[in-house]
Amino acid sequence: MAVHWYPGHMHKAQREMREAMPNIDLIIEVLDARIPYSSENPVVTEVRGDKPCIKILNKSDLADPDITAAWIDYYNQQTNIKAVALTTQEPEKVRAILDLCRAMLPEKDQGLANIRVMIMGIPNVGKSTTINILAGRIIAKTGNEPAVTKAQQRINLKNGIVLSDTPGILWPKVMNENSSYRLAVTGAIKDTAMEYEDVAFFAAEYLLQAYPEVVKQRYQLDELPDSELGLLEAIAGKRGAKRAGGHADLHKVSEILLHEIRSAALGRISLETPAMVEQEKVLVEQLTQEREEKQAKRKKNKKRRRN
């Protein structure tokens, strides 16, 4: 399953981003620390070339600290990339990003021209709040709903740095099925884009594998169920999410589980690790190749029929 959620303003934003890139010195990409890979936009990698990039793993106070540390190491091993874990609850650390911009471009910092920085991120990762902290005033509209920012804007921070904001951009297709679900679990994709119950089943399966003790403690379970459905039924029993006849109200219990993940009521949880992602990349490449081969075959057969 590939998610298609690409409002019209995002097509325009991507075009504007590509047009502006030659005039940009450095990129700041805001990611969700719980899903750094899934919240990356591959367009950024494609268009930035060898420009320096700061990856902010935002909402790190919601993520598993050990896994976040692994992601920081993973990114810092890549060329011209510096990764930092932040939370907008600590504005002084967010403002330190400007010093990092200067450190990554020492030759520009010594000159008279402004350092031109583009900040980007998919919807609902905290980009607008980050901008407001960097600017020291309310510049960007914030909200819990995805896709609040609709237009590109330039912000002169009056400290030698000019910031270009871009709307939150999702790519036309999320080809990694697991990434689609992770985006939905964290709320980066509107809840109307996917079935609530499907997303909750994915989350329940992952929690049973990755955080079994956390699940037992949170829901006061003596034993762990052996399936995601069993877990949702157990949570429904603990939270009173039952229909007449004692059956679990799957929609209601799905809402409960996803809300508790998003709010960190379950604790600091990450939904992917670098090792998991490397394995998934191989599978995605295989699926992409197979799809391209099928498309090429169909085109060839179509041409043969015409002839």
Side-chain angles (χ1 to χ4, degrees), residues 33-46:
R34 298 166 295 179
I35 52 168
Y37 166 71
S38 294
S39 59
E40 277 186 331
N41 190 331
V43 174
V44 176
T45 303
E46 177 189 338

Side-chain angles (χ1 to χ4, degrees), residues 56-237:
I56 297 177
L57 275 62
N58 198 29
K59 303 186 181 183
S60 60
D61 54 329
L62 306 180
D64 186 321
D66 292 334
I67 295 178
T68 298
W71 277 110
I72 296 291
D73 290 341
Y74 175 83
Y75 285 124
N76 285 344
Q77 291 173 16
Q78 299 176 25
T79 305
N80 271 352
I81 291 179
K82 178 65 178 177
V84 292
L86 294 177
T87 165
T88 51
Q89 304 303 312
E90 298 179 322
E92 70 284 353
K93 292 184 179 180
V94 175
R95 284 190 285 269
I97 289 295
L98 299 177
D99 295 328
L100 183 56
C101 291
R102 296 188 184 93
M104 293 185 74
L105 291 165
E107 68 287 352
K108 294 285 283 187
D109 190 35
Q110 300 301 320
L112 297 176
N114 287 320
I115 295 174
R116 298 159 301 182
V117 177
M118 179 178 284
I119 185 167
M120 56 185 64
I122 70 167
N124 212 27
V125 293
K127 177 173 65 73
S128 294
T129 303
T130 300
I131 290 171
N132 292 338
I133 292 172
L134 294 176
R137 61 193 190 279
I138 303 300
I139 295 288
K141 183 180 177 182
T142 62
N144 290 325
E145 276 292 303
V148 169
T149 306
K150 294 290 198 305
Q152 192 173 107
Q153 57 181 335
R154 294 181 68 200
I155 306 151
N156 191 337
L157 300 183
K158 301 187 185 302
N159 55 7
I161 295 177
V162 174
L163 198 63
S164 294
D165 180 22
T166 59
I169 302 174
L170 281 175
W171 45 103
K173 287 184 181 179
V174 183
M175 294 310 300
N176 186 335
E177 183 178 21
N178 291 330
S179 288
S180 301
Y181 280 112
R182 291 172 192 142
L183 288 163
V185 170
T186 59
I189 295 174
K190 287 184 178 180
D191 290 332
T192 53
M194 296 178 71
E195 290 292 335
Y196 235 81
E197 290 86 340
D198 286 346
V199 178
F201 267 75
F202 174 86
E205 181 182 25
Y206 176 78
L207 290 172
L208 284 172
Q209 295 172 356
Y211 294 97
E213 294 305 315
V214 170
V215 170
K216 285 178 69 175
Q217 182 176 351
R218 176 64 184 173
Y219 299 110
Q220 299 178 342
L221 303 176
D222 295 329
E223 293 184 3
L224 278 178
D226 57 5
S227 70
E228 57 270 35
L229 175 59
L231 177 57
L232 290 174
E233 289 176 337
I235 295 172

Side-chain angles (χ1 to χ4, degrees), residues 6 14-15 17-18 21-22 27 29 40-51 53 55 81 120 169 171-172:
Y6 206 61
Q14 187 179 127
R15 185 183 72 250
M17 180 181 70
R18 291 177 184 274
M21 193 59 66
I27 295 168
E29 186 176 17
E40 277 186 331
N41 190 331
V43 174
V44 176
T45 303
E46 177 189 338
V47 301
R48 82 174 179 91
D50 59 355
K51 294 181 188 291
C53 180
K55 290 186 181 286
I81 291 179
M120 56 185 64
I169 302 174
W171 45 103

Side-chain angles (χ1 to χ4, degrees), residues 259-280:
H259 173 74
E260 295 203 347
I261 292 173
R262 292 172 185 175
S263 66
L266 271 165
R268 299 175 66 176
I269 287 173
S270 294
L271 299 174
E272 60 190 14
T273 68
M276 287 168 53
V277 163
E278 287 302 318
Q279 292 179 344
E280 290 175 9

